[in-house]
Amino acid sequence: MNIIVCIKQVPETTEVKINPQTNTLIREGVKSIINPFDMYAIEEGVRLKEKLSGKVTVITMGPPQAEAALREAISMGIDDGILISDRNFAGSDTWATSYTLACAIKKINQNQGKLDLILCGKQASDGDTAQVGPGISVHLDIPQITFVKKIEEINEKTARVERMTEEGFEIIETPLPVLFTVVKEINEPRIPSLKGMMRAKSAKIIHWTARDIDAEPKHIGLSGSPTNVVKIFTPPPRTGGQKISGENREIAEKLAELLKSEIT
Ligand SMILES: Cc1cc2nc3c(=O)[nH]c(=O)nc-3n(C[C@H](O)[C@H](O)[C@H](O)COP(=O)(O)OP(=O)(O)OC[C@H]3O[C@@H](n4cnc5c(N)ncnc54)[C@H](O)[C@@H]3O)c2cc1C
């Protein structure tokens, strides 16, 4: 089975700070880690390879330092790591990001033969949009199943999975190739072994630029990004509420008065 796992390097904090002038994330001084949800995608890819044999490749689009994330994934049992990095990708929104990752996946497909499964995390802890996984599947014109909590069965042609919903879960069958985004209920990521860490240290990371993956300049970076960020800001901390006490009728009347005065 040929599996690709998409991972993103993110700041090790959920309190992301924004530069008000440029509307971009302030990354300086913040340690980078693999997006926590992507750890479950890595683990699931490795488990499937161990069960069914085949190859599992991890890819990331990011700056040169994102190589560290690929090495960490390799230490957990991933076979190959590919870094997609190019100055021309700067300013990519989720649409341009998913287009770029889809171009890289097409190239892997050309090199390695039939692709079976793409795994993504359910969302990134910094951007938080949960759009990149579904975007990749649209660009590749393959089915997608989001919020996968269990792969019940998978063979060379089909898969049956449990997909988490607010009320419980759905069971969905799909033909392959397919893209899944996974939730943390799917597994427990392993701690890398010493052997894995040694392998990761010396593993050769493949680097691809926009040209290597035949990405069209008009679809990448800022010019390929239809999203227009008008303003980004940190919401002010919540102030304390107002407590109304008394008998039920009294509370209702006071509340109605308060709402009226707020409106006017
Ligand atoms: C107009 C605009 C300009 C932007 N400019 C920049 C910029 O210059 N630099 C910058 O760093 N960000 C920039 N961003 C943010 C960037 O678009 C997002 O970080 C990126 O598209 C991923 O979106 P997300 O974080 O919401 O991921 P989600 O959609 O929440 O991620 C879901 C899953 O997709 C996969 N995934 C997501 N991103 C990647 C990736 N890069 N590589 C591999 N797999 C991935 C992972 O499996 C992840 O779990 C910009 C955004 C906008 C709207």
Side-chain angles (χ1 to χ4, degrees):
M1 180 154 290
N2 238 336
I3 303 167
I4 292 173
V5 183
C6 300
I7 65 169
K8 182 183 182 194
Q9 203 180 40
V10 297
E12 192 187 26
T13 172
T14 45
E15 287 164 27
V16 177
K17 293 203 172 60
I18 311 286
N19 178 332
Q21 268 82 47
T22 58
N23 276 342
T24 53
L25 297 184
I26 301 171
R27 293 174 189 272
E28 289 78 29
V30 186
K31 195 179 162 228
S32 292
I33 53 166
I34 296 179
N35 173 39
F37 287 110
D38 300 349
M39 298 296 275
Y40 302 94
I42 294 169
E43 177 64 31
E44 202 58 25
V46 174
R47 285 187 191 195
L48 288 171
K49 183 194 80 164
E50 287 168 348
K51 200 164 129 194
L52 305 165
S53 83
K55 186 165 185 183
V56 52
T57 305
V58 69
I59 63 172
T60 191
M61 170 184 139
Q65 57 266 34
E67 226 192 83
L70 298 173
R71 290 198 190 276
E72 189 179 340
I74 292 172
S75 75
M76 291 170 69
I78 294 279
D79 295 300
D80 283 338
I82 304 178
L83 175 68
I84 304 133
S85 196
D86 195 313
R87 280 182 180 277
N88 294 320
F89 296 144
S92 296
D93 66 0
T94 55
W95 181 249
T97 302
S98 47
Y99 167 78
T100 306
L101 291 169
C103 288
I105 291 168
K106 280 184 194 159
K107 168 116 183 182
I108 298 171
N109 209 3
Q110 279 165 16
N111 293 354
Q112 295 183 4
K114 188 177 138 287
L115 169 71
D116 300 296
L117 177 63
I118 301 164
L119 293 168
C120 291
K122 93 168 161 110
Q123 71 194 77
S125 61
D126 55 352
D128 258 342
T129 66
Q131 291 176 356
V132 170
I136 296 170
S137 84
V138 169
H139 285 298
L140 293 175
D141 196 20
I142 61 170
Q144 55 169 288
I145 303 180
T146 51
F147 305 110
V148 170
K149 72 186 265 286
K150 186 175 180 187
I151 299 180
E152 282 190 353
E153 232 180 87
I154 187 160
N155 58 47
E156 295 209 328
K157 291 206 169 94
T158 59
R160 193 170 68 232
V161 302
E162 289 178 12
R163 175 181 186 271
M164 203 152 103
T165 64
E166 276 184 20
E167 294 81 27
F169 65 90
E170 303 168 334
I171 297 179
I172 305 182
E173 265 186 13
T174 173
L176 265 48
V178 62
L179 181 143
F180 296 154
T181 74
V182 302
V183 292
K184 64 182 172 48
E185 286 72 11
I186 197 165
N187 59 44
E188 194 169 323
R190 71 193 64 192
I191 294 171
S193 63
L194 189 62
K195 200 174 146 206
M197 286 196 273
M198 298 297 283
R199 200 176 81 78
K201 219 172 154 191
S202 57
K204 186 177 175 334
I205 302 292
I206 300 160
H207 286 218
W208 281 345
T209 61
R211 188 181 287 207
D212 292 325
I213 57 175
D214 297 325
E216 282 192 51
K218 64 175 186 221
H219 293 315
I220 59 172
L222 204 54
S223 57
S225 297
T227 317
N228 184 10
V229 181
V230 180
K231 188 178 175 194
I232 299 184
F233 63 96
T234 312
R238 286 185 184 204
T239 53
Q242 191 178 335
K243 196 169 175 186
I244 306 172
S245 50
E247 293 299 316
N248 286 352
R249 192 181 171 82
E250 207 185 331
I251 293 174
E253 280 169 1
K254 280 184 192 167
L255 186 61
E257 276 309 311
L258 201 69
L259 288 172
K260 257 195 248 164
S261 67
E262 283 290 321
I263 293 164
T264 52

mmCIF file of all heavy atoms in Angstrom, residues 4 6 57 59-61 82-85 89 97-111 115 136 140 208-210 212-215:
data_model
loop_
_atom_site.group_PDB
_atom_site.id
_atom_site.type_symbol
_atom_site.label_atom_id
_atom_site.label_comp_id
_atom_site.label_asym_id
_atom_site.label_seq_id
_atom_site.Cartn_x
_atom_site.Cartn_y
_atom_site.Cartn_z
ATOM 1 N N ILE A 4 0.595 8.428 1.712
ATOM 2 C CA ILE A 4 1.262 9.730 1.898
ATOM 3 C C ILE A 4 0.635 10.414 3.116
ATOM 4 O O ILE A 4 -0.583 10.453 3.260
ATOM 5 C CB ILE A 4 1.099 10.624 0.661
ATOM 6 C CG1 ILE A 4 1.882 10.021 -0.505
ATOM 7 C CG2 ILE A 4 1.586 12.049 0.931
ATOM 8 C CD1 ILE A 4 1.687 10.706 -1.812
ATOM 9 N N CYS A 6 0.496 14.042 5.150
ATOM 10 C CA CYS A 6 0.817 15.473 5.066
ATOM 11 C C CYS A 6 0.937 16.031 6.480
ATOM 12 O O CYS A 6 0.012 15.870 7.287
ATOM 13 C CB CYS A 6 -0.299 16.241 4.365
ATOM 14 S SG CYS A 6 -0.592 15.672 2.695
ATOM 15 N N THR A 57 5.155 7.783 2.897
ATOM 16 C CA THR A 57 5.980 8.969 2.654
ATOM 17 C C THR A 57 5.338 10.154 3.358
ATOM 18 O O THR A 57 4.118 10.323 3.309
ATOM 19 C CB THR A 57 6.033 9.270 1.134
ATOM 20 O OG1 THR A 57 6.493 8.112 0.459
ATOM 21 C CG2 THR A 57 6.934 10.440 0.806
ATOM 22 N N ILE A 59 5.108 14.342 3.701
ATOM 23 C CA ILE A 59 5.456 15.573 2.986
ATOM 24 C C ILE A 59 5.048 16.783 3.809
ATOM 25 O O ILE A 59 4.073 16.746 4.557
ATOM 26 C CB ILE A 59 4.808 15.665 1.575
ATOM 27 C CG1 ILE A 59 3.271 15.693 1.654
ATOM 28 C CG2 ILE A 59 5.266 14.539 0.689
ATOM 29 C CD1 ILE A 59 2.610 15.970 0.301
ATOM 30 N N THR A 60 5.820 17.850 3.649
ATOM 31 C CA THR A 60 5.420 19.120 4.244
ATOM 32 C C THR A 60 5.805 20.247 3.323
ATOM 33 O O THR A 60 6.829 20.188 2.638
ATOM 34 C CB THR A 60 6.040 19.332 5.649
ATOM 35 O OG1 THR A 60 5.402 20.451 6.261
ATOM 36 C CG2 THR A 60 7.530 19.588 5.635
ATOM 37 N N MET A 61 4.971 21.273 3.287
ATOM 38 C CA MET A 61 5.333 22.495 2.581
ATOM 39 C C MET A 61 5.688 23.507 3.654
ATOM 40 O O MET A 61 4.879 23.757 4.561
ATOM 41 C CB MET A 61 4.144 22.999 1.777
ATOM 42 C CG MET A 61 4.347 24.376 1.210
ATOM 43 S SD MET A 61 2.848 24.934 0.382
ATOM 44 C CE MET A 61 2.799 26.622 0.912
ATOM 45 N N ILE A 82 9.716 14.350 2.340
ATOM 46 C CA ILE A 82 9.886 15.300 1.232
ATOM 47 C C ILE A 82 9.504 16.693 1.713
ATOM 48 O O ILE A 82 8.393 16.916 2.213
ATOM 49 C CB ILE A 82 9.021 14.918 0.003
ATOM 50 C CG1 ILE A 82 9.346 13.490 -0.449
ATOM 51 C CG2 ILE A 82 9.227 15.925 -1.126
ATOM 52 C CD1 ILE A 82 8.508 12.997 -1.615
ATOM 53 N N LEU A 83 10.447 17.639 1.540
ATOM 54 C CA LEU A 83 10.192 19.028 1.899
ATOM 55 C C LEU A 83 9.901 19.820 0.625
ATOM 56 O O LEU A 83 10.714 19.828 -0.301
ATOM 57 C CB LEU A 83 11.410 19.623 2.616
ATOM 58 C CG LEU A 83 11.323 21.107 2.949
ATOM 59 C CD1 LEU A 83 10.258 21.380 4.005
ATOM 60 C CD2 LEU A 83 12.665 21.636 3.431
ATOM 61 N N ILE A 84 8.742 20.464 0.600
ATOM 62 C CA ILE A 84 8.379 21.285 -0.560
ATOM 63 C C ILE A 84 8.596 22.727 -0.133
ATOM 64 O O ILE A 84 7.867 23.245 0.724
ATOM 65 C CB ILE A 84 6.912 21.009 -0.968
ATOM 66 C CG1 ILE A 84 6.750 19.517 -1.238
ATOM 67 C CG2 ILE A 84 6.515 21.783 -2.204
ATOM 68 C CD1 ILE A 84 5.558 18.945 -0.588
ATOM 69 N N SER A 85 9.617 23.335 -0.672
ATOM 70 C CA SER A 85 10.026 24.636 -0.172
ATOM 71 C C SER A 85 10.500 25.520 -1.311
ATOM 72 O O SER A 85 11.287 25.077 -2.149
ATOM 73 C CB SER A 85 11.150 24.425 0.851
ATOM 74 O OG SER A 85 11.336 25.572 1.618
ATOM 75 N N PHE A 89 6.376 30.198 -2.731
ATOM 76 C CA PHE A 89 5.183 29.723 -2.015
ATOM 77 C C PHE A 89 4.745 30.720 -0.935
ATOM 78 O O PHE A 89 3.690 30.557 -0.341
ATOM 79 C CB PHE A 89 5.449 28.370 -1.331
ATOM 80 C CG PHE A 89 5.748 27.233 -2.269
ATOM 81 C CD1 PHE A 89 6.660 26.246 -1.925
ATOM 82 C CD2 PHE A 89 5.099 27.131 -3.485
ATOM 83 C CE1 PHE A 89 6.936 25.181 -2.778
ATOM 84 C CE2 PHE A 89 5.364 26.072 -4.354
ATOM 85 C CZ PHE A 89 6.284 25.102 -3.994
ATOM 86 N N THR A 97 -2.002 26.408 -0.789
ATOM 87 C CA THR A 97 -1.282 25.360 -0.052
ATOM 88 C C THR A 97 -1.748 23.982 -0.528
ATOM 89 O O THR A 97 -0.929 23.098 -0.819
ATOM 90 C CB THR A 97 -1.514 25.488 1.475
ATOM 91 O OG1 THR A 97 -1.099 26.780 1.906
ATOM 92 C CG2 THR A 97 -0.753 24.430 2.250
ATOM 93 N N SER A 98 -3.052 23.802 -0.635
ATOM 94 C CA SER A 98 -3.549 22.474 -1.029
ATOM 95 C C SER A 98 -3.228 22.187 -2.495
ATOM 96 O O SER A 98 -2.952 21.038 -2.857
ATOM 97 C CB SER A 98 -5.032 22.301 -0.722
ATOM 98 O OG SER A 98 -5.764 23.391 -1.153
ATOM 99 N N TYR A 99 -3.214 23.232 -3.338
ATOM 100 C CA TYR A 99 -2.811 23.031 -4.741
ATOM 101 C C TYR A 99 -1.356 22.549 -4.793
ATOM 102 O O TYR A 99 -1.025 21.583 -5.494
ATOM 103 C CB TYR A 99 -2.960 24.344 -5.532
ATOM 104 C CG TYR A 99 -2.282 24.302 -6.888
ATOM 105 C CD1 TYR A 99 -2.876 23.648 -7.970
ATOM 106 C CD2 TYR A 99 -1.022 24.885 -7.082
ATOM 107 C CE1 TYR A 99 -2.242 23.579 -9.204
ATOM 108 C CE2 TYR A 99 -0.389 24.820 -8.307
ATOM 109 C CZ TYR A 99 -0.999 24.174 -9.364
ATOM 110 O OH TYR A 99 -0.361 24.094 -10.591
ATOM 111 N N THR A 100 -0.490 23.226 -4.021
ATOM 112 C CA THR A 100 0.945 22.893 -4.025
ATOM 113 C C THR A 100 1.158 21.451 -3.530
ATOM 114 O O THR A 100 1.913 20.685 -4.134
ATOM 115 C CB THR A 100 1.705 23.894 -3.113
ATOM 116 O OG1 THR A 100 1.381 25.203 -3.546
ATOM 117 C CG2 THR A 100 3.202 23.674 -3.181
ATOM 118 N N LEU A 101 0.473 21.102 -2.432
ATOM 119 C CA LEU A 101 0.632 19.736 -1.902
ATOM 120 C C LEU A 101 0.093 18.709 -2.911
ATOM 121 O O LEU A 101 0.690 17.639 -3.092
ATOM 122 C CB LEU A 101 -0.083 19.598 -0.554
ATOM 123 C CG LEU A 101 0.563 20.399 0.597
ATOM 124 C CD1 LEU A 101 -0.346 20.422 1.816
ATOM 125 C CD2 LEU A 101 1.924 19.804 0.974
ATOM 126 N N ALA A 102 -0.993 19.049 -3.604
ATOM 127 C CA ALA A 102 -1.547 18.127 -4.606
ATOM 128 C C ALA A 102 -0.554 17.927 -5.758
ATOM 129 O O ALA A 102 -0.395 16.805 -6.268
ATOM 130 C CB ALA A 102 -2.875 18.659 -5.128
ATOM 131 N N CYS A 103 0.142 19.006 -6.165
ATOM 132 C CA CYS A 103 1.160 18.878 -7.240
ATOM 133 C C CYS A 103 2.266 17.923 -6.782
ATOM 134 O O CYS A 103 2.737 17.083 -7.566
ATOM 135 C CB CYS A 103 1.775 20.235 -7.568
ATOM 136 S SG CYS A 103 0.678 21.334 -8.441
ATOM 137 N N ALA A 104 2.684 18.072 -5.524
ATOM 138 C CA ALA A 104 3.751 17.196 -5.000
ATOM 139 C C ALA A 104 3.267 15.740 -4.963
ATOM 140 O O ALA A 104 4.020 14.813 -5.292
ATOM 141 C CB ALA A 104 4.168 17.661 -3.610
ATOM 142 N N ILE A 105 2.023 15.545 -4.575
ATOM 143 C CA ILE A 105 1.476 14.178 -4.493
ATOM 144 C C ILE A 105 1.406 13.549 -5.896
ATOM 145 O O ILE A 105 1.729 12.375 -6.077
ATOM 146 C CB ILE A 105 0.098 14.198 -3.787
ATOM 147 C CG1 ILE A 105 0.300 14.544 -2.302
ATOM 148 C CG2 ILE A 105 -0.630 12.865 -3.934
ATOM 149 C CD1 ILE A 105 -0.963 14.882 -1.537
ATOM 150 N N LYS A 106 1.044 14.367 -6.903
ATOM 151 C CA LYS A 106 1.010 13.854 -8.288
ATOM 152 C C LYS A 106 2.407 13.399 -8.704
ATOM 153 O O LYS A 106 2.572 12.387 -9.370
ATOM 154 C CB LYS A 106 0.522 14.942 -9.248
ATOM 155 C CG LYS A 106 -0.987 15.099 -9.252
ATOM 156 C CD LYS A 106 -1.392 16.116 -10.294
ATOM 157 C CE LYS A 106 -2.832 16.539 -10.069
ATOM 158 N NZ LYS A 106 -3.166 17.805 -10.663
ATOM 159 N N LYS A 107 3.389 14.181 -8.295
ATOM 160 C CA LYS A 107 4.784 13.830 -8.652
ATOM 161 C C LYS A 107 5.197 12.522 -7.956
ATOM 162 O O LYS A 107 5.834 11.662 -8.569
ATOM 163 C CB LYS A 107 5.697 14.984 -8.228
ATOM 164 C CG LYS A 107 7.151 14.666 -8.259
ATOM 165 C CD LYS A 107 7.880 15.487 -9.250
ATOM 166 C CE LYS A 107 9.336 15.067 -9.271
ATOM 167 N NZ LYS A 107 10.144 15.821 -10.150
ATOM 168 N N ILE A 108 4.827 12.347 -6.697
ATOM 169 C CA ILE A 108 5.150 11.102 -5.981
ATOM 170 C C ILE A 108 4.461 9.937 -6.692
ATOM 171 O O ILE A 108 5.048 8.869 -6.893
ATOM 172 C CB ILE A 108 4.687 11.170 -4.502
ATOM 173 C CG1 ILE A 108 5.423 12.292 -3.771
ATOM 174 C CG2 ILE A 108 4.926 9.835 -3.786
ATOM 175 C CD1 ILE A 108 4.885 12.586 -2.377
ATOM 176 N N ASN A 109 3.241 10.180 -7.093
ATOM 177 C CA ASN A 109 2.456 9.169 -7.814
ATOM 178 C C ASN A 109 3.160 8.729 -9.101
ATOM 179 O O ASN A 109 3.223 7.541 -9.414
ATOM 180 C CB ASN A 109 1.098 9.800 -8.147
ATOM 181 C CG ASN A 109 0.008 8.779 -8.225
ATOM 182 O OD1 ASN A 109 0.244 7.606 -7.972
ATOM 183 N ND2 ASN A 109 -1.180 9.221 -8.570
ATOM 184 N N GLN A 110 3.704 9.726 -9.829
ATOM 185 C CA GLN A 110 4.438 9.414 -11.073
ATOM 186 C C GLN A 110 5.669 8.565 -10.777
ATOM 187 O O GLN A 110 5.975 7.616 -11.474
ATOM 188 C CB GLN A 110 4.947 10.699 -11.738
ATOM 189 C CG GLN A 110 3.918 11.443 -12.554
ATOM 190 C CD GLN A 110 4.416 12.867 -12.853
ATOM 191 O OE1 GLN A 110 5.599 13.164 -12.707
ATOM 192 N NE2 GLN A 110 3.501 13.734 -13.245
ATOM 193 N N ASN A 111 6.369 8.916 -9.669
ATOM 194 C CA ASN A 111 7.630 8.239 -9.341
ATOM 195 C C ASN A 111 7.435 6.852 -8.747
ATOM 196 O O ASN A 111 8.216 5.952 -8.974
ATOM 197 C CB ASN A 111 8.440 9.059 -8.337
ATOM 198 C CG ASN A 111 8.933 10.354 -8.941
ATOM 199 O OD1 ASN A 111 8.758 10.580 -10.133
ATOM 200 N ND2 ASN A 111 9.526 11.202 -8.134
ATOM 201 N N LEU A 115 -1.059 5.385 -6.112
ATOM 202 C CA LEU A 115 -1.224 5.920 -4.769
ATOM 203 C C LEU A 115 -2.536 5.391 -4.178
ATOM 204 O O LEU A 115 -3.552 5.334 -4.856
ATOM 205 C CB LEU A 115 -1.292 7.443 -4.868
ATOM 206 C CG LEU A 115 -1.720 8.189 -3.628
ATOM 207 C CD1 LEU A 115 -0.622 8.115 -2.582
ATOM 208 C CD2 LEU A 115 -2.028 9.629 -3.959
ATOM 209 N N ILE A 136 -6.868 19.354 -0.884
ATOM 210 C CA ILE A 136 -5.997 18.431 -1.646
ATOM 211 C C ILE A 136 -6.870 17.453 -2.431
ATOM 212 O O ILE A 136 -6.623 17.174 -3.609
ATOM 213 C CB ILE A 136 -5.045 17.659 -0.692
ATOM 214 C CG1 ILE A 136 -4.074 18.611 0.004
ATOM 215 C CG2 ILE A 136 -4.278 16.575 -1.453
ATOM 216 C CD1 ILE A 136 -3.256 17.966 1.132
ATOM 217 N N LEU A 140 -6.973 16.820 -6.481
ATOM 218 C CA LEU A 140 -6.611 15.508 -7.054
ATOM 219 C C LEU A 140 -7.832 14.779 -7.620
ATOM 220 O O LEU A 140 -7.687 13.710 -8.225
ATOM 221 C CB LEU A 140 -5.959 14.620 -5.981
ATOM 222 C CG LEU A 140 -4.595 15.067 -5.455
ATOM 223 C CD1 LEU A 140 -4.151 14.161 -4.315
ATOM 224 C CD2 LEU A 140 -3.543 15.057 -6.564
ATOM 225 N N TRP A 208 11.991 19.605 -2.857
ATOM 226 C CA TRP A 208 11.384 19.960 -4.146
ATOM 227 C C TRP A 208 10.988 21.432 -4.151
ATOM 228 O O TRP A 208 10.458 21.935 -3.158
ATOM 229 C CB TRP A 208 10.132 19.118 -4.402
ATOM 230 C CG TRP A 208 10.427 17.717 -4.881
ATOM 231 C CD1 TRP A 208 11.595 17.235 -5.370
ATOM 232 C CD2 TRP A 208 9.505 16.615 -4.893
ATOM 233 N NE1 TRP A 208 11.469 15.906 -5.687
ATOM 234 C CE2 TRP A 208 10.207 15.499 -5.416
ATOM 235 C CE3 TRP A 208 8.173 16.457 -4.524
ATOM 236 C CZ2 TRP A 208 9.608 14.251 -5.568
ATOM 237 C CZ3 TRP A 208 7.571 15.219 -4.684
ATOM 238 C CH2 TRP A 208 8.284 14.126 -5.208
ATOM 239 N N THR A 209 11.222 22.076 -5.296
ATOM 240 C CA THR A 209 10.796 23.467 -5.485
ATOM 241 C C THR A 209 9.516 23.461 -6.330
ATOM 242 O O THR A 209 9.058 22.401 -6.783
ATOM 243 C CB THR A 209 11.868 24.256 -6.245
ATOM 244 O OG1 THR A 209 12.028 23.627 -7.527
ATOM 245 C CG2 THR A 209 13.200 24.269 -5.533
ATOM 246 N N ALA A 210 8.989 24.659 -6.577
ATOM 247 C CA ALA A 210 7.770 24.777 -7.406
ATOM 248 C C ALA A 210 7.990 24.144 -8.777
ATOM 249 O O ALA A 210 7.118 23.460 -9.316
ATOM 250 C CB ALA A 210 7.396 26.237 -7.540
ATOM 251 N N ASP A 212 10.098 21.750 -9.562
ATOM 252 C CA ASP A 212 10.210 20.278 -9.467
ATOM 253 C C ASP A 212 8.851 19.597 -9.496
ATOM 254 O O ASP A 212 8.712 18.460 -9.929
ATOM 255 C CB ASP A 212 10.929 19.870 -8.160
ATOM 256 C CG ASP A 212 12.385 20.281 -8.158
ATOM 257 O OD1 ASP A 212 13.004 20.239 -9.236
ATOM 258 O OD2 ASP A 212 12.894 20.645 -7.081
ATOM 259 N N ILE A 213 7.832 20.283 -8.950
ATOM 260 C CA ILE A 213 6.518 19.622 -8.874
ATOM 261 C C ILE A 213 5.566 20.130 -9.971
ATOM 262 O O ILE A 213 4.365 19.876 -9.929
ATOM 263 C CB ILE A 213 5.868 19.804 -7.471
ATOM 264 C CG1 ILE A 213 5.728 21.282 -7.102
ATOM 265 C CG2 ILE A 213 6.674 19.068 -6.403
ATOM 266 C CD1 ILE A 213 4.975 21.530 -5.791
ATOM 267 N N ASP A 214 6.132 20.869 -10.929
ATOM 268 C CA ASP A 214 5.340 21.412 -12.047
ATOM 269 C C ASP A 214 4.161 22.251 -11.568
ATOM 270 O O ASP A 214 3.055 22.166 -12.131
ATOM 271 C CB ASP A 214 4.818 20.280 -12.961
ATOM 272 C CG ASP A 214 5.951 19.518 -13.627
ATOM 273 O OD1 ASP A 214 6.960 20.169 -13.951
ATOM 274 O OD2 ASP A 214 5.834 18.284 -13.770
ATOM 275 N N ALA A 215 4.393 23.040 -10.516
ATOM 276 C CA ALA A 215 3.310 23.901 -10.014
ATOM 277 C C ALA A 215 3.245 25.153 -10.891
ATOM 278 O O ALA A 215 4.268 25.787 -11.142
ATOM 279 C CB ALA A 215 3.585 24.278 -8.563
#
